[in-house]
Amino acid sequence: MADQEMPAPGAVTRALPHDSARAHAAGTALYVDDVPLAANALHGAFGLSTHAHARILGMDLAAVRAAPGVAAVFTAADIPGRNDVSPFAGDDRLFAEGETIYHGQALFLVVAESHRAARAAARLARMEYQPLPPLLTTAEALAAGSVLEPTQLMGRGDTAAALAAAPRRVCGELEIGGQDHFYLEGQIALATPQEEGGMHVLSSTQHPSEVQHIIARVLGRADAEVTVEVRRMGGGFGGKETQAAWFAAAAALAAAKTGRQVKIRLDRDDDMIMTGKRHEFTAVYDAGFDEAGVLHAVSLELASRCGCTADLSHAINDRAMFHADNCYFYPAVSIVSHRARTHTVSATAFRGFGGPQGMLAAERMIDHVAHELGLDPLEVRRRNFYAPGRDMTPYAMRVTDNIAPELVAELARSSDYEGRRAAVAEWNRARRVIKKGIALTPVKFGISFTTTHLNQGGALVHVYTDGSILLNHGGTEMGQGLMIKVAQVVADVFAVPVETVRVCATRTDKVPNTSATAASSGTDINGMAAYNAAEAIRQRLVAFASRQFSVPEEAVRFTPAGVWAGAERVDFTELCRLAYFNRVSLSANGFYATPEIHYDRKTHTGRPFFYFAYGAAVSEVAIDTLTGEHKVLAVDILHDAGRSLNPAIDLGQVEGGFVQGMGWLTTEELVFDAAGRLLTHAPSTYKIPTASDRPARMEIRLWAAGRNPSPTIHRSKAVGEPPLMLANSVFCALTAAVAAAVPGAGFPRLDAPATPERILAAIAELKARHG
Amino acid sequence: MSLRFLLDDELITLEAVEPAMTVLEWLRLRARRTGTKEGCAEGDCGACTVLLGELAGGRVLWRAVNACILFLPMLAGRALLTIESLGGTHPVQAELAARHGSQCGFCTPGIVMSLYARSIGGLGAGQSVEDALAGNLCRCTGYGPILATARALATHPRDDTSTLAALRALAADPGPKEIRHGASRVFLPASADELAALCLAHPRARLVAGATDIGLWVTKHLRVLEDEVIFLGGLGDLRFIEETPEALRLGAMVRYAEALPAFTRLHPALGRLVRRIGGAQIRNAGTIGGNIANGSPIGDMPPALIALGATLTLRWGEARRTLALEDFFIAYGEQDRAPGEFIEAVTIPRPGPEDVISISKLSKRFDSDISSVCGAFNLRVEAGRIIRARIAFGGMAATPRRARALEAALTGAPFTEDTLTAAAPRLREDFAPLTDLRGSAVYRMEVAGNLLARLWAQSQNETADVRELADG
C-alpha cells in the first residue's frame, strides 16, 4: 500500500505549484475556446423557452433559418438516437418536446458561420405557447404533490416521545438560497466529425465518460465511436458534472448532421439561465435538550427545490440528510427529506452536494439551543460532539475517526476565541450602529460517492525508453490541482523528479468507464489507480533488474540518485532503456475500488463513507444596523487534509472553498420573478465575492497532526468540498450580530443569503417581536 | 478608410472595420491571441483585461480596460498590449505562479494584466490592491495568493521609448477621421470643435464615450449600432480637470479614475463613492459625461453630483447653455439634450466647512455592484440650524432625483438627531420605489430613511460604516 511514510526527497507532501501555473499566468494554457478551428467550422446557439411551463403549440423557425450566416437548425425531430441527456433518470431532454418545463429550456439549436450570427438568429423563432400554471416554489410543489420521489426518512428511536420528554425544546425554520457556480469559463464543447461515423468532442466537463455515453445515446451510436477529451476546465465546482453533456451532445448532433466541426460556447447569460444550480432548501428543526445544552432528540424536516428533472437530486438530498448531524450526536433522531419537482431549472451538483444545506441547518439549531440557554454556542457544540459511546450517526455508521474535539480545541486556543468573544460583547455594549458577532463552527464531511458503484478509478501510465513518464487517469482538472497531486504520487513510485511525469488531457479512449471528478474523490480514487499502475511497472522493473544484475528483488531500490541493484547503481533512464531491449512492458493500467463501503438506500443505513474529513473555522463579522451592510473582519481556519499530498494545493482549496461558501451565504442571491424567470443571470446582477470581500485577516492552517486512519493514498484526505462549509461560521456570526442588535428580543430569524436587506429585515423582525 | 493602432508597438492597419466588433473578438478570432478570455462579455469579470496606451503629457498613459466591451474603432491612435505582450516571464507572471495565485487559470491572464498595469504605473496605480482587482473575479482561489502577489510586487517601469515614438508617429499622421463599412459610418473627432460640427451635421449619430454601457447593447442585446457612430476617445480637450477654490470643473471625457483624486479633494465621501464605481477597468474607461448623458436611474454619480449642486455645460454648435444637473433628467430614458447637443463639462461647487455631507451607496456586494439605493446629503448648517438642504437619491425613482419634501422638512430646523428622525418619514412623499432584483420597495424605503441616522452618527464621529472597521 501507499500509506507508508515517504523518504524525505520525494515529491509527495511538497508544496509544489500547480502544473499549469506558469501557462495560466502566461495565457498559454489552452481551454476549449482557444483551440484553432477548421476553416468551415460552425457555431451553435440555442433557442430558449420563454415560459416556465407551457404547451408548445407551434415553433416557426423560418426566420431563424433565413437569418444571415445560418447553416442549419435542429430540433428534437432531428435526433437520430434518444432525446435524453440525463445522467440516469431519462427525463432531461436535449430539446423540449411538446411542452416546456422551465424558463430557459432549450427548444432548438441553430448553427451559423459565427457565434454572434448564431445568437442573433436564435432569437428570431416565432413560438406559439399555451401557458400552463407553473409550480415555482418548493411549497407550491409540495402542496400540489409534485415530487421527484416519495419523502425519505432517516432516523433512530422514538423521536416524538424523546422530544416530548426533553426538559427544554426549541423549534425554528431556515431558508437557504441556491447558488450559481459561476465558473469563469462557461459551458463549451467542440465536436469534430471523424471518419466512419466517429465523433471527437472537446468538452469542458467533469465527467467525460458520461458525456461520451450521452453523445452516443443521442446520436444512436456505440460508445466506442465517440471520444471525449478534456485537458482542463476553467472552473467546474459541480456545474460541469452533468450539465456539460447537453452542450457536447448538441455540438455532436450538429457536427454529425452537417459533417462540419461545430462549437457551442454559451454566452454567460444563457449559461446562467439554462444550467442548474445549488438546491434551495428549507429546514425546519425541533430540538429537545437539557439545561446543559445536551441534545436528547432532534427532528429535522428538509425540503428542497429540485427543479424540473431528477438530475442528481436524489443523491444530493441524501447527502443533505447525511450531514444534518455534522459533528453532533443525536440520541433520538428523525430526518425527513422532501424533494420538490418544480418548473424551474433542474438543480444540480455544487461543491458540497447537499451537505452544506444539511450542515447549516444543524448549526442553526445548535445556535438556537445556545441562545435559549444563554450559553456560548461553542460550548453547546462541544457538549454534543460525537464521543465514545455516543458515536452512531443517524444512518447507523459508527464515527470512528472523530478528531473534531481536538481540532476545535486547538483552533479555539490559537484563534483566542474566548478573548475575542468577550471583546465582541464589550463592543456591542458600547456601540449603537455597528454590531459584531463571532462564531466557531466545525465541519465533518463524509468522503465517498454515496452511490457505491461510482467509487472506482482508472489510470494508464506509460514509461518511455528515455525514462519520461506519461500519466493518464480518469480524473479531470478544473483548477483543483488533481494533476499535480497524482503526478507527485507517480513520481515517488519511481523516485524521479516530478518534472519527469507529463500530465495530459483526460480522454475516454485512454481510460474508459470513469466516474465524475466529483464528491472530492478525484485524488483518492485516481491517485490510487495511478499508484497501482505505476507500481505494476515498477514491479516489472524490479523483476527485470533482479535478473539483469543478478541480485534478489529485495535488493533493488529506487532512489533519487538512481536505481540500486545491490551495490550497483543505474540511472532510471538507463534502466528503462535496458528493460525495453529486454522486452519488458513499460505501460500499465491501474484500477482502484474504494473498499469497505456499502449503503442500503431503502433504510438509509450502512457505511456510505470511507472516512470523514474535518475542519473548523472562526469568523468575526460586523453588521451595520442601519443598512444591513456587513463585513467579515477576520477568519481563522484549521483544516484536516490528512497527510497532505501538496499543502499549497490543499490550502488553495481551503481558502477558495471558504470564500465560495461565504459568497453563497452572503452576497450571492438568485432572484426569480413571479413567472419563474431568473433575473440574476450575469455578474452585473449576481455577485460572487470580489477581492475586497476576502477577510483582511485570514489565518489558514492545515492540521499538522492529520493522518487518515483509513488507507488512502499516502494517508491523505479529500479536500475539494469540505472547506466550503467552513463558511457556516460566517452565517452563524452574522446571526449572533443580528441578535446583539436587539438584545433580549430572542433568537433571530435570518435566512440565507444574508444580504443587507435580509439582515435589516431580521433586525426589524426582532424589534417587532420585542414590541 | 483604415483604422490604425499599435499592437506591441507594431503598427496595425485594418482596412475593413466592423464598428461593433469588440477588441476581444478581434484579438481572439482575427489576431489569434487567445490568452485574453471571455468570461462575461459585459465588463464585470475582467478575464478580458488588456492595456491601452495613449500620449499624455509627454509620456504614455497606460490603462487596464475590458476588451469585451471595447469597440474596435476605440483603438484608433492607441497602443494595445495583451497577455501575450508580456512574454510569460514578467515578474508579475512569475510571482503569481510561484505564489499559487492560479487554480483553474481562466481569470489569470486578466489578473496578470491588471497587476501589470499597476506595476508599470498605469492609471490608478496608486489605489489599493483590492481596488485595483475589484474588476477581476476569481472563483477558485479566494483571492489570498493574488492579493499577496500584488502586495509583494515591486514597480517595474516599462521602457516606453519605442511606444512613445510610435504613438507620436501615429499622432502626427493619424489617418482618416471617418471609417466606412458598408452602410455604417464611424467618426473619430479629435477636438470638441470637430465634435460640435459633426453633431450639427449628423444630429442622430450615436455618441460613444467609454462604451461601458453601450458595449452591452451589442454583446448582450445583440443590437446593431446606428449607421452613424461618433467615437469620442480622441477628444483630449474634453479631458481637462480644473480645480479652483470655488469649484471643480471636469471635461465630459474625464474618466472616473482620472477624476478620482480631484473628487477626493472636493470631499472624501465623493472619493469613496467613485472608487466603488465598477472595477478598475470600468473606472479607466467610463467617463463623467457618459455616465450623465446615459441617463440611467441607477448611475452612481448623479445623486451625489445633484446633492453637491453640479451644473452641466451643454454645447450645440457654438452655442452653450448651463443646466442644473437635476433638470437634465426628465423621465426614464429622457434627458434634456437636443439632437446634435452634447455635454461638454460638469461643474461642481466646492462645499464649505459648514456643509455636512454624507454619501451612501448600498449594494449586495461592496465593490463593483450597482446600487439598490444611492443617497447623497448636503446640509448647510449654521449656528446649529440647517439653512439649506440638497438631498438626492438614485434607485428610488425612474431618474436620479432630489428629495424635495425631505429637504423642506429639514430646512430651517435645528441640526439634531430628533430633527433627522422626525423628518425621515417625509421620504414617503418624495418616493415610491419599486421592487426589483436589487432590493424590495420596503427595504429601499426603510434604508433611505436610515441614511439620516447614519448621517447623524457620522456627524458625531461614530463609526457607522463596517468598511471602516479595523480587522478583528
Side-chain angles (χ1 to χ4, degrees):
Chain A
M1 286 306 294
D3 59 347
Q4 73 279 19
E5 299 288 326
M6 294 301 294
V12 162
T13 74
R14 282 177 57 200
L16 298 173
H18 192 286
D19 48 283
S20 295
R22 275 174 302 188
H24 291 155
T28 54
L30 287 183
Y31 301 80
V32 175
D33 199 34
D34 302 335
V35 173
L37 299 182
N40 67 346
L42 294 168
H43 302 261
F46 291 92
L48 306 184
S49 161
T50 54
H51 285 266
H53 190 203
R55 192 160 293 128
I56 300 172
L57 300 179
M59 185 154 65
D60 176 359
L61 301 176
V64 182
R65 288 181 213 281
V70 169
V73 181
F74 303 103
T75 67
D78 298 302
I79 295 173
R82 278 162 51 198
N83 185 11
D84 173 11
V85 291
S86 63
F88 71 94
D91 55 353
D92 286 297
R93 302 279 160 264
L94 179 55
F95 302 121
E97 275 184 279
E99 67 167 3
T100 69
I101 52 175
Y102 76 98
H103 176 265
Q105 186 181 9
L107 304 169
F108 62 89
L109 176 76
V110 52
V111 289
E113 303 295 335
S114 77
H115 189 232
R116 212 189 266 187
R119 289 174 64 208
R123 298 183 186 193
L124 299 177
R126 292 212 186 95
M127 298 297 301
E128 195 183 342
Y129 297 101
Q130 180 193 344
L132 300 168
L135 298 167
L136 297 175
T137 66
T138 305
E140 282 171 13
L142 294 182
S146 174
V147 291
L148 281 186
E149 64 173 336
T151 293
Q152 300 292 300
L153 193 65
M154 177 186 284
R156 171 177 64 234
D158 187 344
T159 307
L163 280 171
R168 302 285 293 264
R169 203 160 160 182
V170 294
C171 304
E173 187 177 344
L174 168 66
E175 286 186 11
I176 305 168
Q179 184 177 26
D180 190 89
H181 304 84
F182 207 85
Y183 26 66
L184 261 288
E185 176 209 36
Q187 302 277 354
I188 185 165
L190 174 62
T192 309
Q194 310 292 304
E195 63 182 20
E196 303 285 337
M199 187 63 65
H200 175 269
V201 180
L202 290 176
S203 169
S204 182
T205 175
Q206 294 171 240
H207 201 345
S209 281
E210 186 169 276
V211 171
Q212 174 202 17
H213 301 157
I214 286 174
I215 289 170
R217 184 200 295 163
V218 167
L219 297 185
R221 290 286 186 173
D223 289 348
E225 293 176 294
V226 179
T227 300
V228 173
E229 174 178 350
V230 52
R231 172 59 187 91
R232 63 172 62 78
M233 285 162 270
F237 316 113
K240 295 171 181 171
E241 182 171 354
T242 61
Q243 309 295 290
W246 321 350
F247 311 107
L253 172 70
K257 289 279 183 179
T258 61
R260 293 162 72 174
Q261 192 179 45
V262 173
K263 178 153 80 178
I264 295 180
R265 171 172 69 83
L266 289 199
D267 169 68
R268 176 63 60 181
D269 294 66
D270 287 349
D271 189 310
M272 292 183 74
I273 290 168
M274 291 178 77
T275 67
K277 301 160 201 326
R278 188 187 293 285
H279 289 64
E280 292 177 15
F281 264 71
T282 304
V284 178
Y285 55 86
D286 185 346
F289 51 98
D290 59 27
E291 299 297 336
V294 175
L295 292 164
H296 289 198
V298 169
S299 169
L300 264 167
E301 191 172 2
L302 305 175
S304 78
R305 185 166 84 160
C306 299
C308 55
T309 64
D311 190 72
L312 304 174
S313 288
H314 298 76
I316 290 165
N317 282 275
D318 285 358
R319 191 168 273 271
M321 299 170 83
F322 288 130
H323 289 82
D325 62 337
N326 196 13
C327 294
Y328 313 116
F329 176 64
Y330 302 156
V333 56
S334 156
I335 301 169
V336 170
S337 166
H338 309 290
R339 290 106 194 255
R341 185 195 291 271
T342 54
H343 296 103
T344 53
V345 64
S346 194
T348 191
F350 194 143
R351 203 175 196 171
F353 205 74
Q357 295 96 320
M359 205 180 285
L360 187 65
E363 298 304 338
R364 161 56 60 95
M365 176 182 73
I366 296 274
D367 278 351
H368 198 166
V369 169
H371 190 274
E372 192 73 9
L373 296 171
L375 294 173
D376 177 355
L378 177 58
E379 192 50 42
V380 175
R381 289 190 162 88
R382 285 172 154 156
R383 288 174 188 174
N384 287 288
F385 278 162
Y386 282 110
R390 292 163 48 86
D391 54 4
M392 194 60 85
T393 64
Y395 44 95
M397 173 175 170
R398 203 170 285 283
V399 180
T400 59
D401 59 6
N402 184 20
I403 55 167
E406 308 159 59
L407 191 142
V408 164
E410 186 179 326
L411 178 65
R413 208 168 35 243
S414 67
S415 66
D416 185 26
Y417 171 81
E418 296 293 335
R420 288 166 59 196
R421 188 173 138 81
V424 163
E426 182 52 39
W427 169 285
N428 288 339
R429 269 191 294 276
R431 305 295 183 119
R432 283 203 310 169
V433 177
I434 307 292
K435 298 291 182 181
K436 289 186 178 179
I438 187 169
L440 189 160
T441 60
V443 169
K444 165 182 133 284
F445 194 76
I447 302 299
S448 292
F449 288 98
T450 59
T451 304
T452 304
H453 77 264
L454 298 176
N455 296 287
Q456 54 175 309
L460 176 64
V461 173
H462 302 319
V463 178
Y464 293 91
T465 54
D466 67 350
S468 63
I469 299 167
L470 189 70
L471 168 62
N472 256 274
H473 53 76
T476 56
E477 178 65 44
M478 61 196 96
Q480 82 280 41
L482 172 64
M483 296 297 175
I484 184 67
K485 286 165 89 170
V486 178
Q488 287 171 267
V489 168
V490 169
D492 278 6
V493 170
F494 301 107
V496 295
V498 72
E499 296 75 26
T500 311
V501 182
R502 167 93 180 173
V503 301
C504 51
T506 309
R507 292 178 60 114
T508 55
D509 57 358
K510 289 203 173 170
V511 179
N513 310 323
T514 54
S515 291
T517 307
S520 304
S521 69
T523 306
D524 279 9
I525 61 176
N526 297 294
M528 200 63 103
Y531 176 86
N532 289 339
E535 186 59 25
I537 298 170
R538 198 184 72 96
Q539 289 300 339
R540 288 180 212 147
L541 288 170
V542 166
F544 164 68
S546 158
R547 290 195 303 275
Q548 182 79 4
F549 299 103
S550 306
V551 295
E553 290 193 2
E554 305 78 64
V556 179
R557 291 178 302 123
F558 285 69
T559 77
V563 181
W564 291 89
E568 203 152 354
R569 195 194 69 83
V570 58
D571 280 345
F572 177 68
T573 53
E574 177 62 11
L575 182 66
C576 295
R577 205 181 62 84
L578 286 173
Y580 165 74
F581 281 113
N582 286 276
R583 297 185 291 174
V584 175
S585 165
L586 294 176
S587 173
N589 57 10
F591 186 77
Y592 174 71
T594 313
E596 296 178 46
I597 48 178
H598 56 89
Y599 190 65
D600 178 2
R601 200 164 175 271
K602 285 190 204 70
T603 59
H604 286 295
T605 58
R607 180 185 174 179
F609 305 120
F610 193 34
Y611 62 91
F612 295 100
Y614 296 84
V618 180
S619 290
E620 185 175 340
V621 305
I623 64 168
D624 181 336
T625 58
L626 296 174
T627 63
E629 293 167 295
H630 50 77
K631 183 184 177 190
V632 181
L633 300 170
V635 173
D636 294 79
I637 292 172
L638 185 56
H639 194 81
D640 161 37
R643 183 165 175 271
S644 172
L645 293 173
N646 183 325
I649 295 290
D650 287 356
L651 283 169
Q653 289 299 296
V654 174
E655 177 172 349
F658 176 89
V659 171
Q660 197 170 68
M662 184 182 80
W664 167 50
L665 295 172
T666 56
T667 57
E668 295 182 40
E669 185 178 31
L670 293 164
V671 181
F672 290 84
D673 71 6
R677 288 179 297 216
L678 178 65
L679 303 180
T680 48
H681 46 71
S684 50
T685 47
Y686 183 77
K687 311 311 283 189
I688 71 167
T690 188
S692 71
D693 294 310
R694 180 190 191 268
R697 195 178 76 68
M698 274 190 96
E699 299 290 335
I700 308 174
R701 287 181 301 133
L702 297 178
W703 202 45
R707 293 289 181 278
N708 197 339
S710 293
T712 54
I713 184 77
H714 295 300
R715 300 283 177 177
S716 61
K717 283 194 180 182
V719 73
E721 296 169 284
L724 183 125
M725 284 148 276
L726 297 169
N728 289 347
S729 58
V730 171
F731 195 73
C732 291
L734 287 169
T735 308
V738 169
V742 197
F747 186 66
R749 170 69 207 259
L750 179 66
D751 293 324
T755 57
E757 175 162 355
R758 284 216 178 79
I759 286 181
L760 207 57
I763 293 171
E765 194 268 338
L766 275 187
K767 283 181 179 161
R769 239 192 270 173
H770 208 34
Chain B
M1 290 301 183
S2 60
L3 174 71
R4 306 173 72 199
F5 61 94
L6 306 178
L7 177 62
D8 297 346
D9 297 345
E10 256 180 64
L11 180 66
I12 305 283
T13 303
L14 299 181
E15 295 302 334
V17 175
E18 300 150 55
M21 175 177 263
T22 65
V23 172
L24 180 64
E25 288 172 313
W26 182 79
L27 281 172
R28 292 186 58 84
L29 302 175
R30 304 285 164 84
R32 283 292 307 153
R33 290 199 176 204
T34 56
T36 308
K37 309 299 184 193
E38 178 181 316
C40 70
E42 62 173 10
D44 265 274
C45 82
C48 65
T49 304
V50 296
L51 261 59
L52 283 189
E54 69 197 47
L55 286 176
R59 63 180 198 98
V60 183
L61 173 68
W62 293 103
R63 298 178 287 140
V65 295
N66 292 307
C68 69
I69 50 171
L70 192 69
F71 295 117
L72 207 46
M74 296 168 75
L75 293 179
R78 305 271 198 255
L80 173 65
L81 297 178
T82 69
I83 184 75
E84 288 84 0
S85 311
L86 271 60
T89 55
H90 187 275
V92 173
Q93 296 170 303
E95 279 288 310
L96 198 66
R99 289 174 184 268
H100 314 289
S102 72
Q103 286 186 22
C104 86
F106 201 81
C107 72
T108 312
I111 283 171
V112 168
M113 293 308 283
S114 286
L115 294 182
Y116 176 69
R118 187 180 160 78
S119 82
I120 63 170
L123 183 58
Q127 65 196 326
S128 72
V129 294
E130 286 85 356
D131 287 356
L133 289 168
N136 288 93
L137 297 179
C138 169
R139 191 53 151 168
C140 296
T141 64
Y143 299 102
I146 298 167
L147 290 165
T149 302
R151 293 202 179 92
L153 271 175
T155 54
H156 294 277
R158 184 176 186 273
D159 179 359
D160 283 333
T161 315
S162 62
T163 311
L164 207 51
L167 278 176
R168 281 184 177 138
L170 205 52
D173 179 17
K177 290 182 179 172
E178 181 184 342
I179 301 172
R180 287 179 190 238
H181 180 83
S184 74
R185 298 173 74 183
V186 165
F187 301 100
L188 303 167
S191 69
D193 288 345
E194 286 182 22
L195 174 62
L198 270 175
C199 282
L200 286 184
H202 308 277
R204 303 285 165 189
R206 170 66 58 191
L207 304 189
V208 179
T212 58
D213 189 38
I214 292 177
L216 277 69
W217 299 359
V218 171
T219 62
K220 292 299 171 182
H221 307 302
L222 304 182
R223 269 170 64 174
V224 177
L225 285 183
E226 285 79 354
D227 279 346
E228 295 177 331
V229 185
I230 304 176
F231 286 99
L232 307 177
L235 303 179
D237 56 349
L238 288 191
R239 207 160 273 138
F240 61 85
I241 300 175
E242 292 169 10
E243 295 182 80
T244 66
E246 293 76 36
L248 169 64
R249 190 154 182 276
L250 299 168
M253 284 302 292
V254 174
R255 301 158 185 131
Y256 298 112
E258 291 165 330
L260 181 55
F263 278 142
T264 304
R265 284 191 287 273
L266 193 80
H267 197 278
L270 191 58
R272 283 195 294 271
L273 172 75
V274 172
R275 64 157 289 277
R276 288 177 59 190
I277 291 175
Q281 299 91 327
I282 296 296
R283 296 193 294 274
N284 288 345
T287 64
I288 306 302
N291 184 246
I292 293 168
N294 183 276
S296 165
I298 46 177
D300 281 329
M301 290 305 298
L305 295 184
I306 289 171
L308 291 168
T311 55
L312 298 181
T313 305
L314 289 141
R315 179 169 174 184
W316 187 80
E318 290 306 311
R320 290 179 173 85
R321 66 184 173 114
T322 303
L323 188 66
L325 178 56
E326 61 258 41
D327 296 334
F328 181 70
F329 303 106
I330 298 169
Y332 181 78
E334 188 186 352
Q335 297 91 37
D336 183 1
R337 183 168 74 85
E341 198 173 32
F342 64 93
I343 299 173
E344 197 172 51
V346 184
T347 306
I348 312 155
R350 200 169 286 282
E354 65 281 21
D355 293 342
V356 177
I357 289 171
S358 171
I359 303 172
S360 290
K361 168 177 173 166
L362 303 174
S363 51
K364 285 183 202 171
R365 188 176 70 194
F366 187 76
D367 276 324
S368 192
D369 198 357
I370 293 167
S371 50
S372 51
V373 172
C374 188
F377 301 80
N378 179 7
L379 309 182
R380 177 152 295 176
V381 179
E382 284 180 11
R385 256 175 212 287
I386 303 167
I387 62 160
R388 190 208 64 204
R390 291 184 64 92
I391 300 168
F393 280 91
M396 295 289 285
T399 58
R401 224 166 65 189
R402 283 178 73 170
R404 300 282 185 181
L406 176 61
E407 289 177 358
L410 292 176
T411 307
F415 183 56
T416 63
E417 187 170 17
D418 285 348
T419 296
L420 298 176
T421 308
R426 300 296 297 275
L427 276 169
R428 294 185 186 282
E429 298 164 36
D430 288 317
F431 298 111
L434 297 176
T435 293
D436 66 16
L437 63 95
R438 296 194 174 86
S440 69
V442 171
Y443 173 71
R444 287 186 154 115
M445 211 64 225
E446 183 186 355
V447 84
N450 284 356
L451 291 181
L452 285 157
R454 169 182 275 191
L455 180 149
W456 178 256
Q458 286 169 337
S459 74
Q460 305 306 302
N461 293 318
E462 182 179 353
T463 304
D465 184 343
V466 289
R467 290 280 162 168
E468 290 169 14
L469 294 181
D471 314 325

